[in-house]
């Protein structure tokens, strides 16, 4: 099964991707993972990517597509794959099609902007351990303090409301058009509500993939 998982930052795509990949025994493929793996491997393509990133430049769609095609050629993709965070734009989606990549299903995890802001801006992190709290959903025992050490919790710059709104703007400008693109294509597209208990969302996602 070849899948794409769409949705804004904070929609819970990572959680649902884990459930899907476990059920169907397919790898989760993200742009970030591919970039890190390529540079660590030191291949010709990896060296090219490292040089681009070291220069502080954006990796082009052409190079990203090279990475994707190389990754899809690995044995663990024989039974399918799940793209998380790729494609990000319509040109990237068109490039997949032109390279003969056939998709079985595109699933969108639908969450409103205000819910995304509430989820992400409420995060607090204990930097030393990586423990994550949320002021509403998973508050520490003492406000602003790590439960185990009592250290102050960090509100990361990436998690401020202003930054989240900027990330959402990028999503709506660049990635959200993929919803219409795939809705009008021959690929099966399904929207799943991304609010409520996590287990209910997972059940809904897995149910649409069974149909």
């Amino acid at each position: 099964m070849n899948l794409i998982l769409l949705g804004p930052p904070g929609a819970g795509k990572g959680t649902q991707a884990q459930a899907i990949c476990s059920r169907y025994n397919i790898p989760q493929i993200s742009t970030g993972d591919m970039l890190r793996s390529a540079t660590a491997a030191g291949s010709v393509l990896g060296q090219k990517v490292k040089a681009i990133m070291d220069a502080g430049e954006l990796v082009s769609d052409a190079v990203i597509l090279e990475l994707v095609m190389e990754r899809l050629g690995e044995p663990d993709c024989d039974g399918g794959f799940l793209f998380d965070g790729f494609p990000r734009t319509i040109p990237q989606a068109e490039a997949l099609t032109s390279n003969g990549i056939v998709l079985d299903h595109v699933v969108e995890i639908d969450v409103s902007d205000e819910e995304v802001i509430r989820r992400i801006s409420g995060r607090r992190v204990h930097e030393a351990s990586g423990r994550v709290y949320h002021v509403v959903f998973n508050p520490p025992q003492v406000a602003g303090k790590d439960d185990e050490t009592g250290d102050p919790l960090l509100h990361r710059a990436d998690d401020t409301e202003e930054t989240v709104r900027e990330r959402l703007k990028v999503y709506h400008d660049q990635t959200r058009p993929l919803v219409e693109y795939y809705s009008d294509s021959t690929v099966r597209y399904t929207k799943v509500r991304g609010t409520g208990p996590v287990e209910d969302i997972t059940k809904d996602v897995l149910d649409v993939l069974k149909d």
Side-chain angles (χ1 to χ4, degrees):
M1 183 176 287
N2 300 341
L3 306 170
I4 290 176
L5 201 56
L6 291 178
K13 297 189 300 298
T15 299
Q16 300 311 322
Q18 289 179 359
I20 294 168
C21 291
S22 176
R23 171 67 61 87
Y24 290 98
N25 194 28
I26 56 176
Q28 177 182 353
I29 300 174
S30 73
T31 305
D33 289 344
M34 286 189 296
L35 291 170
R36 284 187 290 272
S37 296
T39 54
S43 63
V44 173
L45 182 54
Q47 291 174 28
K48 182 196 297 187
V49 169
K50 186 176 188 304
I52 293 169
M53 295 172 68
D54 286 349
E57 299 174 2
L58 291 175
V59 180
S60 69
D61 281 358
V63 173
I64 292 291
L65 191 66
E66 276 191 80
L67 285 171
V68 168
M69 299 308 294
E70 185 177 85
R71 179 66 182 87
L72 294 182
E74 296 181 15
D76 64 338
C77 293
D78 288 349
F81 55 82
L82 183 149
F83 280 135
D84 174 15
F86 181 86
R88 291 185 184 275
T89 64
I90 287 178
Q92 289 181 350
E94 291 173 338
L96 277 181
T97 302
S98 64
N99 277 269
I101 303 303
V102 178
L103 298 168
D104 297 306
H105 211 137
V106 174
V107 178
E108 179 193 3
I109 308 297
D110 183 40
V111 178
S112 70
D113 285 4
E114 292 310 310
E115 175 65 15
V116 166
I117 291 166
R118 189 165 72 110
R119 288 180 183 182
I120 298 180
S121 64
R123 287 176 185 163
R124 299 295 184 271
V125 178
H126 182 242
E127 198 167 21
S129 68
R131 282 186 288 275
V132 179
Y133 300 84
H134 192 282
V135 296
V136 176
F137 305 120
N138 182 34
Q141 294 171 7
V142 177
K145 304 287 186 182
D146 178 56
D147 287 351
E148 296 191 21
T149 66
D151 294 339
L153 298 176
L154 178 68
H155 190 198
R156 296 183 300 197
D158 282 354
D159 293 342
T160 63
E161 180 173 340
E162 181 181 5
T163 303
V164 176
R165 287 192 184 278
E166 290 174 1
R167 291 168 64 192
L168 283 168
K169 183 179 185 306
V170 171
Y171 172 76
H172 286 296
D173 289 347
Q174 296 184 5
T175 307
R176 178 69 187 177
L178 288 170
V179 169
E180 184 175 344
Y181 175 82
Y182 282 118
S183 297
D184 294 338
S185 74
T186 57
V187 179
R188 187 175 180 197
Y189 159 81
T190 307
K191 178 188 290 188
V192 174
R193 178 182 51 83
T195 53
V198 172
E199 57 272 20
D200 290 352
I201 300 168
T202 299
K203 181 180 184 303
D204 290 344
V205 168
L206 295 177
D207 281 349
V208 301
L209 293 176
K210 283 192 304 187
D211 294 342

